[in-house]
């Protein structure tokens, strides 16, 4: 598709059909696949994609989540008032997280702990886990007597990304309050600043760059790139040529400090391109958005399977992990998330919301 005839992002949105739900589902499943390696061995670098690109499949999937979230959450902030925006974001993230935390800590943990149930329920570590997960999105905390022989003891190892997600939500809120969503050049300044900062730090530190430092720039950059794609939607196009140019640039600059930033920008554009281009049809727009539930429950399911069958490799346990995670994610969607969205719609005074609802990664 030539860049001169490709539809603009705005035109693609106006068609009313998109693949954002299907794309989020694929990204959530990719996270589960990636964790099949790290849950069993404790070494995420064993994953083949990490050796080729420098990042695991799970990291690439989270990149896509943040780009899509930046696009959709900025659209939400642009189309809604401040009160509606805050309510929408709270009801999309919080009910599923609270439920998952209680199910894993008081249900799964109580069933798997080596401690007597009464002792487990009295242990301060249990209540510290619940408090830390719900207030600071702490994902490396362990439950008393649970997963003690696993490489990782954390039962909710993916919630750490929600901290960055919420911070980005607050950034959009601040931008809306300051009127910056109407000054779209500001998004380009933020994207350029984060990309430049990441390139400079990568050049200075190289392989010694701490993962936490890189992540603190990587995820906001991807979110900001998604936001910029939305804000410039009437100028930018859904173009395979543009995506190919970004991919080619990342390959050419693979051994330079500019590689991470260019890779992430390419992934942000690629995520939106997929949702509004090849995936913008019925089969890729499932009626149930299971991505958030898969993302939350995939890790504890895989941790449990490894604890019960430690002799089996993570990839060998992948099929039963999917078989268990998908029904649990469906219960989360139909029992918690969809009712919360219905409550949100009633609170906002309309039956149907005018924007696509992003789920947190």
């Amino acid at each position: 598709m030539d860049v001169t005839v490709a539809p603009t992002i705005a035109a693609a949105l106006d068609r009313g059909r998109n693949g954002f739900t299907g794309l989020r589902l694929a990204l959530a499943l990719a996270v589960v696949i990636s964790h099949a390696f790290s849950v069993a061995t404790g070494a995420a670098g064993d994953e083949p994609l990490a050796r080729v690109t420098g990042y695991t499949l799970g990291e690439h999937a989270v990149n896509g989540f943040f780009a899509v979230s930046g696009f959709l959450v900025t659209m939400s902030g642009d189309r809604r008032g401040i009160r509606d925006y805050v309510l929408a974001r709270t009801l999309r993230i919080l009910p599923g997280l609270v439920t998952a935390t209680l199910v894993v800590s008081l249900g799964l943990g109580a069933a798997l702990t080596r401690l007597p149930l009464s002792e487990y329920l009295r242990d301060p570590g249990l209540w510290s886990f619940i408090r830390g997960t719900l207030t600071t999105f702490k994902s490396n905390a362990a439950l008393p007597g649970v997963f003690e022989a696993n490489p990782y003891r954390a039962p909710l190892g993916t919630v750490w990304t929600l901290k960055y997600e919420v911070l980005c939500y607050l950034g959009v809120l601040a931008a809306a309050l300051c009127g910056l969503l109407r000054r779209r050049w500001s998004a380009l300044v933020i994207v350029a600043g984060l990309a430049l900062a990441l390139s400079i730090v990568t050049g200075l530190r190289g392989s010694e760059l701490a993962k936490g430092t890189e992540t603190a720039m990587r995820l906001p950059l991807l979110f900001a790139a998604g936001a910029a794609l939305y804000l410039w939607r009437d100028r930018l196009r859904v173009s395979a040529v543009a995506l190919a140019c970004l991919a080619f640039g990342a390959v050419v600059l693979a051994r330079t400090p500019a590689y991470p930033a260019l890779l992430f920008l390419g992934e942000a554009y690629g995520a939106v391109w997929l949702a509004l281009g090849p995936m913008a049809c019925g089969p890729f727009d499932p009626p149930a958005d299971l991505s958030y539930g898969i993302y939350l429950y995939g890790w504890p399911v895989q941790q449990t399977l490894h604890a019960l069958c430690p002799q089996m490799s993570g990839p060998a346990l992948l099929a039963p992990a999917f078989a268990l995670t998908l029904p649990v994610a469906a219960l989360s969607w139909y029992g918690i998330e969809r009712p919360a969205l219905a409550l949100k719609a009633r609170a906002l005074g309309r039956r149907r919301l005018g924007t696509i609802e992003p789920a947190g990664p």
Side-chain angles (χ1 to χ4, degrees), residues 27-36 294-295 298-299 302 318 321-322 325:
L27 293 173
L29 293 174
V31 170
V32 176
I33 294 171
S34 180
H35 288 161
I294 292 172
Y295 189 80
W299 178 274
Q302 288 176 293
L318 194 54
F322 280 137
T325 301

Side-chain angles (χ1 to χ4, degrees), residues 4-348:
T4 59
V5 298
T8 63
I9 292 174
L13 278 174
D14 289 342
R15 288 194 300 241
R17 300 178 67 182
N18 63 77
F20 282 111
T21 301
L23 177 59
R24 289 197 300 258
L25 175 61
L27 293 173
L29 293 174
V31 170
V32 176
I33 294 171
S34 180
H35 288 161
F37 294 87
S38 55
V39 164
T41 66
D46 291 344
E47 185 189 304
L49 195 59
R51 293 192 290 270
V52 176
T53 67
Y55 300 92
T56 66
L57 175 62
E59 287 174 318
H60 288 297
V62 169
N63 290 351
F65 267 126
F66 268 79
V68 168
S69 185
F71 186 93
L72 297 179
V73 169
T74 302
M75 179 165 64
S76 174
D78 182 46
R79 295 182 178 183
R80 293 192 173 109
I82 299 301
R83 182 187 70 88
D84 289 2
Y85 172 82
V86 173
L87 181 63
R89 300 281 55 80
T90 301
L91 288 178
R92 188 62 188 100
I93 290 291
L94 197 58
L97 175 63
V98 171
T99 302
T101 302
L102 297 179
V103 166
V104 168
S105 59
L106 299 179
L108 184 65
L112 295 178
T113 182
R114 61 170 177 77
L115 303 177
L117 181 58
S118 59
E119 184 178 340
Y120 175 77
L121 294 176
R122 290 196 305 268
D123 195 299
L126 168 63
W127 306 106
S128 176
F129 171 86
I130 294 174
R131 183 174 58 253
T133 302
L134 296 180
T135 58
T136 63
F137 308 105
K138 190 175 183 180
S139 63
N140 60 353
L143 287 171
V146 179
F147 301 142
E148 290 180 323
N150 285 15
Y152 295 108
R153 289 197 58 195
L156 277 173
T158 58
V159 298
W160 65 271
T161 62
L162 296 180
K163 172 179 65 179
Y164 292 98
E165 184 84 3
V166 170
L167 289 173
C168 290
Y169 289 176
L170 293 175
V172 172
L173 176 61
L177 289 171
C178 296
L180 293 180
L181 295 184
R182 302 298 179 186
R183 297 177 176 87
R184 59 186 181 182
W185 54 264
S186 60
L188 296 183
V189 171
I190 294 172
V191 170
L194 287 170
L196 181 61
L198 179 58
S199 298
I200 292 173
V201 173
T202 302
L204 292 175
R205 303 294 298 175
S207 60
E208 297 180 1
L209 178 61
K211 198 68 175 178
T213 302
E214 184 198 57
T215 299
M217 291 185 285
R218 170 171 65 96
L219 299 184
L221 171 59
L222 286 150
F223 189 96
L229 289 170
Y230 170 76
L231 293 175
W232 289 84
R233 62 194 179 279
D234 61 333
R235 297 288 186 88
L236 300 177
R237 296 182 178 272
V238 185
S239 168
V241 173
L243 179 61
C245 290
L246 287 168
F248 178 75
V251 171
V252 170
L253 300 176
R255 299 185 180 276
T256 72
Y259 167 71
L262 188 56
L263 174 68
F264 303 151
L265 292 176
E267 289 183 323
Y269 182 82
V272 174
W273 176 83
L274 278 172
L276 296 178
M279 298 183 73
C281 58
F284 296 103
D285 188 20
D289 187 356
L290 304 185
S291 58
Y292 191 31
I294 292 172
Y295 189 80
L296 288 174
Y297 291 101
W299 178 274
V301 166
Q302 288 176 293
Q303 284 278 73
T304 301
L305 288 171
H306 182 69
L308 297 176
C309 305
Q311 73 282 2
M312 295 183 67
S313 68
L317 291 172
L318 194 54
F322 280 137
L324 292 171
T325 301
L326 289 172
V328 174
L331 287 173
S332 176
W333 170 252
Y334 288 107
I336 304 298
E337 298 168 57
R338 192 169 73 164
L341 292 178
L343 174 63
K344 176 181 64 177
R346 290 195 295 271
L348 299 184

